Amino acid sequence: MFHLRSICIFTFLLFLSPLALAAEQKQEFAVDGNVLELDESNFDAAISTFDYIFVDFYAPWCGHCKRLSPQKEAVFHEQQSSRGYGKHCWRLILATGLACFMVSELNKAAVNLAVLKQPIVIAKVDADKYSRLASKYEIDGFPTLKIFMHGVPTDYYGPRKADLLVQFLTKFVAPDVAVLNSDPAISEFIEEAGRTFPIVIGFGLNESVISHLAVKYKKNAWFSVAKGYSNKTMEYYDFDKVPALVALHPSYNEQNIFYGPFEEKFLEDYIKQSLLPLALPINQDTLKALKDDKRKIVLTIMEDENDERSKGLVKLLKAAASANRDLVFAFFGFKQWQDFAESFEVSKKTKLPKMIVWDGDEEYSSVIGSDSVEDEDQGSQITRFLQGYREGNVIQKHITSDAYKAFRNSMFGIGAVILILVVILVVTMMQSLKEEPSREQVDHPGSSISPSEAKEALRSGDKEDKID
């Protein structure tokens, strides 16, 4: 039988972070190019010791991922189905293969990051075992990567190969705003920045104008101001007066120019809109880039995003995006991501290309009479689609696709799972207090459970929930 005091003790032990223990046991860490193994006893000490620490929150239940090859996938899938594991589980198992891949890449990157002028330490945490840490930092899937800058976590969505990982993380220890004093300095800055992040360069501006926003959006873009440049540079970047702010997207071969006004509101709107290309190709990686953008998404679903007709349509979408910066324009091919297309009632029989307006979650709008974009005069049809949307001539729809739910569930926070289990457990214990047990029940040695046993049961339940 549970007693009220036992419940209080159990709840206290379950939720209280072991800060006192961490304080008593001062941790010693070395910057030696090795990946640190962190747990609940030393995590807080580590993120307070290092100004920059990159943490891989992983789950160890993917040992079979190391052995998987394309030839074995079908056999393994069939084995899991026969054991009662559903399609969602299979996707999770494949996803966790990233954790196995990450181990060697992190080890390689750690060596190079340790010798930087401002070292970056790499660490990893078994988020399945240390679930309170996972819950605290809202870990939504495995592996989840975060960089802690002066103790403040920021999600990392960049590449995971060692060389690119080093390039990405080096960005976080670079100056918030680089000051460029010559044409060669501008070229060198752009080359070192690489092709993944957008690059913002202010011409004829003081760094103080963009410094606040550079700090705010540091994880999304490179920021700089050019104080020395020639007319040749102005011609190259296609601006004819200053002050001007040039935003480059090297990986998409795009650039746009902002001439003001340079009040913070207008400046921030421009920077936010410049973080994404005019027309974003959608896949599981780029979809994450939409997470922090609150704009509605004009989503175009094509037959095959790589064929010539689709490339022509993308050019038209970019032109529409330039005139409608309050919306995000994105596209993908049915051939490239059929499961995701089916979330929007698109099948092999659907007439493509098709346009919708998506809220980035589970709601989207179909514009009455204008959702299908014919091969002829697509520019006019895009204009009619946008006009119909702005006039409210739409049908609101809700995604019910199992494929989309599987995608969403694969990002479901284990912290939420833990919370649900705890609530159920506490309610069960409270209900047991209301019962009047007989003397035989009270004295029976098997009628009670210790807090440690309850905690172990909770952990087991959490693991089972991840697999089902």
Side-chain angles (χ1 to χ4, degrees), residues 115-155:
V115 297
L116 294 177
K117 183 176 181 181
Q118 172 63 70
I120 300 175
V121 175
I122 291 185
K124 57 184 178 179
V125 174
D126 182 345
D128 187 48
K129 182 176 181 180
Y130 303 108
S131 54
R132 280 178 290 183
L133 275 177
S135 177
K136 178 179 179 180
Y137 292 106
E138 300 179 350
I139 305 306
D140 292 333
F142 301 113
T144 290
L145 308 173
K146 292 179 181 284
I147 181 167
F148 289 77
M149 296 180 284
H150 304 285
V152 179
T154 296
D155 291 330

Side-chain angles (χ1 to χ4, degrees), residues 120-238:
I120 300 175
V121 175
I122 291 185
K124 57 184 178 179
V125 174
D126 182 345
D128 187 48
K129 182 176 181 180
Y130 303 108
S131 54
R132 280 178 290 183
L133 275 177
S135 177
K136 178 179 179 180
Y137 292 106
E138 300 179 350
I139 305 306
D140 292 333
F142 301 113
T144 290
L145 308 173
K146 292 179 181 284
I147 181 167
F148 289 77
M149 296 180 284
H150 304 285
V152 179
T154 296
D155 291 330
Y156 175 85
Y157 297 124
R160 304 179 181 196
K161 290 203 67 173
D163 55 343
L164 295 176
L165 182 63
V166 170
Q167 180 181 348
F168 257 56
L169 292 181
T170 301
K171 171 183 180 297
F172 288 96
V173 299
D176 297 328
V177 181
V179 178
L180 312 174
N181 293 311
S182 65
D183 287 353
I186 296 171
S187 299
E188 183 179 350
F189 175 77
I190 291 174
E191 183 179 354
E192 291 180 353
R195 299 183 57 82
T196 306
F197 285 109
I199 302 168
V200 179
I201 308 175
F203 292 90
L205 287 173
N206 189 282
E207 58 266 36
S208 62
V209 176
I210 62 172
S211 59
H212 173 67
L213 295 172
V215 172
K216 185 173 182 179
Y217 295 101
K218 185 171 185 176
K219 69 176 183 178
N220 304 107
W222 291 93
F223 291 88
S224 65
V225 293
K227 294 192 173 182
Y229 51 89
S230 66
N231 290 333
K232 185 178 179 179
T233 293
M234 294 180 67
E235 292 174 6
Y236 183 81
Y237 291 108
D238 198 26

Side-chain angles (χ1 to χ4, degrees), residues 29-56:
F29 301 103
V31 184
D32 55 6
N34 291 317
V35 177
L36 298 179
E37 285 273 6
L38 301 181
D39 54 38
E40 291 172 348
S41 70
N42 61 5
F43 187 89
D44 289 333
I47 64 173
S48 63
T49 298
F50 301 110
D51 290 338
Y52 298 91
I53 180 168
F54 181 75
V55 182
D56 169 25

Side-chain angles (χ1 to χ4, degrees), residues 31-103:
V31 184
D32 55 6
N34 291 317
V35 177
L36 298 179
E37 285 273 6
L38 301 181
D39 54 38
E40 291 172 348
S41 70
N42 61 5
F43 187 89
D44 289 333
I47 64 173
S48 63
T49 298
F50 301 110
D51 290 338
Y52 298 91
I53 180 168
F54 181 75
V55 182
D56 169 25
F57 292 89
Y58 72 96
W61 31 266
C62 63
H64 49 264
C65 301
K66 298 178 182 179
R67 301 187 298 271
L68 273 179
S69 66
Q71 293 78 14
K72 295 179 181 178
E73 287 184 4
V75 175
F76 184 79
H77 190 182
E78 183 177 352
Q79 292 173 343
Q80 302 313 307
S81 298
S82 67
R83 295 172 186 171
Y85 298 164
K87 183 178 181 182
H88 171 47
C89 173
W90 170 239
R91 290 184 177 181
L92 281 177
I93 290 171
L94 287 180
T96 56
L98 286 170
C100 305
F101 168 76
M102 283 299 298
V103 173

Side-chain angles (χ1 to χ4, degrees), residues 90 282 344 418:
W90 170 239
I282 292 292
F344 303 100
I418 295 170

